[in-house]
Amino acid sequence: MLEIKNLHAVVEGEDIEILKGVNLKVNAGEIHAIMGPNGSGKSTLSKVVSGHPEYEVTEGEILFNGEDITELDADERAHLGLFLAFQYPVEVPGITNRTLLREAYNTIARANDREELDPLEFEDYIESKLDVIDMKDEFLNRSINTGFSGGEKKKNEIFQMAVLNPVLSFLDETDSGLDIDALKVVSDGVNKIANDENAIVMITHYQRLLNYIKPDFVHVMMDGKIIKSGDISLAEELEANGYDKMEKELALNGEAQ
Amino acid sequence: MSEEVKALESMIGEEYKYGFTTDVEYEDFPKGISEEIVRELSKRKNEPEWMTDFRVKAYHAWKEMEEPTWFNATYKKPDYENLLYYSAPKKKPQLDSMDDVDPNIRETYEKLGIPLEEQKMLAGVAVDAVFDSVSVFTSFKEKLAEAGVIFCSMSEAIQDHPELVKKYMASVVPVRDNYFSALNSAVFSDGSFCYIPKNTKCPMELSTYFRINNMESGQFERTLIVAEEGSSVSYLEGCTAPMYDENQLHAAVVELVALDNADIKYSTIQNWYSGDENGKGGIYNFVTKRGICKGRNSKISWTQLETGSAVTLKYPSVILQGDNSIGEFYSVAVTTKMQQADTGTKMIHLGKNTKSTIISKGISAGRSQNSYRGEVKIGKKAHGSKNYSVCDSMLIGQECGAHTFPYISSENPSSSVEHEATTSRVGEEQIFYLMQRGISEQDAISMIINGFVKDVLKELPLEFAVEANKLLDVKLEGSVG
């Protein structure tokens, strides 16, 4: 589904390279976790894949279902079924969640020659998704993320994911700032959305999230590269020993990846 | 929209057929300003002596005054000696079909969603006589007359209702109020006069009417609206279509008088030519608008969408004299390119339990400067009065500016004044967020802007709210990115 080959990226207009040759392959039905210390480039990876204009790809390619999407705008990537749950969801005052989601849903439907939903049909559809994240419908009437608590913002991201039903989702530190109850609700939501047809890439600092959402693969990212991949035991190893130790070991072994 | 209104909206081209009879005799009017010129102007308008005297006094008052410079805008002062203070409305070229209209203008009309018939009117295209325009117009006037509403041009009012004009003109905006009000008082061209009798709800929104008939409002417009006890009226001036005018200076005066339990709602959509990317050309819009809530429980509400003009200086205000009276100001001011706007309001609380609300939204893009200037004054006797002000600014891009100048004074401890202000930037992050959800860049920007101004636009008469939204989209198209 997603294949990232030797991806290099810089901040637009600057020389400093943030991604230094990332390789990653994600298939349908898989859940991946990317772990790494601050500044390792994991959030940047999710933004570059979803087409943030602040970054420029200098080398390599991003293939999505075989198509190179490196040059596509963010909305065009979204039309293909790419979703990013933001680490810091953005406030948009005066526009309700409902309006955003109806616009988004129908725009994506149009782009894929699927039928759009009229407001009444959409109402039924969106109501049916409220359960995924245990949300009250008054939530739909609130302006996008405006005045939301940190936990509500993160829940809202997963709710949007449920409504838009993406093919591939990047969850950028969705667990950060959540208390244990909220973490459970959010994780339950993600587990309900995950199926054989879609794929999820979680980006996180902590192993904690992985107790609730079980990844098939765990990757460790450091200094703009994925330096090690494995299964859940890799996360456990990290939790026990920390990133420093892993980095030193790898340096000793001269292992690049 | 009622059939009648639709019919009226199709009543296009009438201004040419039935409007003004002679052009030639006015063409020789001399440029410049002097007592003689003011007298000549009054004479050509066939005005009574009291009106001539009013103008002459105003002229001398103006002569003694200094052009103000206290606002946050710089511009080349008009050359008052080189202006033409009297000219008949010009005939526009009459075109045969919309195909003859400049495609750019046509595109703008379409983007704004202006009905086809109205597009033709704005563009000066001849219209098939589907409706008997004269009878529509007449029935419109008859309906107002039946209700006892007087609605006519200021020139007509001076002839036909001198006692009302004498009583109220300059009662809210004194001649010497400011430099531009004095100039206007001396040389005002025309405008609207509206009188709503006791206990009368004006049977129609005067917006539509005005929309058809405001094409020649002139450079020095003078408007007076008087709402008698227990009456109400809603009035809208301007339209969303871009308006071009070769007169650079526009200095209008608008006065509103609300007596006991009366209610006046005045909405403005201003989209005068704003000059080019480099600030060349464009209208100076120096307007004095003020209402007085003279009676108890009266209410005056100003709503404005200001998107045009090179320089705008405008502070629609309310004097809350009657006890329990209410003043409102809802404003969206948009500046792009090199536009400069210094706009806001004054709420002067004099009576007891008076309330005022100010919601101001400024959007700056390009290299423009957008200032909010608002005064809230609570007088000694205004016990239990309240003001609530919200003043939000949004910046698009890095080269524009937003400024807020609130002036608050309270002489009454039982009253309260609340002021909130925010400044935000339409950022890449907001746009990226919406685009990531599948929404195009242009729609994303439009959503952000519309969300920002929603609280104000909902105050506009419904038929204009949609157009107003589109106007914002068109105006800000390409400002980001």
Side-chain angles (χ1 to χ4, degrees), chain A residues 1 26-32 81 161 165-169 190-201 216:
Chain A
M1 175 185 289
V26 179
N27 296 310
E30 293 177 351
I31 297 180
H32 291 241
M161 178 180 163
N165 196 21
V167 180
L168 173 67
S169 304
V190 173
N191 286 325
K192 282 180 205 163
I193 297 166
N195 61 34
D196 290 347
E197 318 256 289
N198 61 24
I200 291 166
V201 180
D216 304 298

Side-chain angles (χ1 to χ4, degrees), chain A residues 50 52 75 78-79 82-84 86 90-91 93-95 100 104 107-108 145 157 160, chain B residues 428-430 432-441 443 446-448 450-452 454:
Chain A
S50 47
H52 197 297
D75 57 332
H79 299 164
L82 200 70
F83 182 87
L84 172 63
F86 282 59
V90 180
E91 301 191 359
I95 300 294
L100 165 68
T107 307
I108 293 171
N145 297 323
E157 294 296 289
Q160 294 185 23
Chain B
E428 260 187 357
E429 282 307 313
Q430 262 181 332
F432 175 64
Y433 186 74
L434 297 175
M435 285 180 76
Q436 207 298 307
R437 298 306 184 243
I439 291 163
S440 71
E441 184 174 21
D443 287 350
S446 146
M447 268 178 127
I448 294 164
N450 291 340
F452 180 67
K454 196 170 77 174

Side-chain angles (χ1 to χ4, degrees), chain B residues 193-470:
Chain B
F193 175 78
C194 180
Y195 177 83
I196 319 289
K198 250 187 187 181
N199 300 323
T200 303
K201 186 175 183 300
C202 187
M204 61 193 69
E205 291 234 345
L206 293 180
S207 53
T208 317
Y209 182 103
F210 198 73
R211 198 169 180 174
I212 303 294
N213 290 280
N214 73 343
M215 305 315 293
E216 300 293 348
S217 52
Q219 187 175 10
F220 299 101
E221 204 179 334
R222 184 99 197 183
T223 294
L224 173 59
I225 299 176
V226 179
E228 280 282 3
E229 285 176 29
S231 69
S232 70
V233 61
S234 168
Y235 186 94
L236 184 136
E237 66 165 346
C239 64
T240 52
M243 304 264 278
Y244 290 83
D245 192 303
E246 52 197 52
N247 297 313
Q248 186 171 41
L249 175 66
H250 278 244
V253 170
V254 176
E255 298 176 280
L256 311 181
V257 180
L259 300 173
D260 285 1
N261 301 304
D263 187 338
I264 302 175
K265 182 178 174 66
Y266 192 104
S267 313
T268 305
I269 296 181
Q270 187 265 115
N271 191 18
W272 290 104
Y273 180 52
S274 60
D276 68 11
E277 299 290 338
N278 298 312
K280 195 168 180 294
I283 303 286
Y284 295 167
N285 187 27
F286 301 162
V287 187
T288 309
K289 288 183 167 177
R290 192 174 304 155
I292 182 164
C293 284
K294 220 173 163 66
R296 295 169 60 87
N297 308 315
S298 56
K299 179 177 169 186
I300 289 178
S301 183
W302 298 101
T303 304
Q304 61 173 20
L305 172 59
E306 299 282 325
T307 65
S309 300
V311 184
T312 298
L313 306 176
K314 180 182 171 188
Y315 317 93
S317 307
V318 184
I319 300 166
L320 296 146
Q321 191 184 73
D323 291 348
N324 311 318
S325 58
I326 297 172
E328 294 173 339
F329 175 73
Y330 300 99
S331 170
V332 172
V334 181
T335 53
T336 62
K337 299 175 191 168
M338 291 286 278
Q339 281 178 279
Q340 305 176 81
D342 191 314
T343 182
T345 183
K346 285 191 250 182
M347 292 290 173
I348 313 295
H349 293 254
L350 301 175
K352 287 179 201 142
N353 301 315
T354 47
K355 287 194 185 69
S356 64
T357 304
I358 298 171
I359 312 272
S360 164
K361 306 275 182 173
I363 301 173
S364 335
R367 287 181 286 160
S368 69
Q369 296 295 327
N370 200 331
S371 304
Y372 167 80
R373 190 182 301 277
E375 180 177 8
V376 176
K377 198 170 175 176
I378 309 251
K380 271 189 198 129
K381 292 176 184 167
H383 305 289
S385 292
K386 282 190 185 126
N387 161 267
Y388 175 66
S389 305
V390 181
C391 176
D392 297 331
S393 308
M394 185 175 262
L395 300 167
I396 301 177
Q398 305 292 332
E399 292 177 83
C400 54
H403 316 272
T404 306
F405 305 100
Y407 307 87
I408 298 166
S409 68
S410 179
E411 296 175 6
N412 189 304
S414 70
S415 296
S416 71
V417 177
E418 254 182 87
H419 181 92
E420 292 173 19
T422 66
T423 301
S424 55
R425 197 175 281 280
V426 177
E428 260 187 357
E429 282 307 313
Q430 262 181 332
I431 295 168
F432 175 64
Y433 186 74
L434 297 175
M435 285 180 76
Q436 207 298 307
R437 298 306 184 243
I439 291 163
S440 71
E441 184 174 21
Q442 194 56 49
D443 287 350
I445 294 163
S446 146
M447 268 178 127
I448 294 164
I449 301 293
N450 291 340
F452 180 67
V453 302
K454 196 170 77 174
D455 290 345
V456 172
L457 294 197
K458 70 176 195 220
E459 298 294 330
L460 282 176
L462 191 62
E463 56 187 295
F464 287 97
V466 178
E467 262 186 49
N469 261 325
K470 288 183 184 151

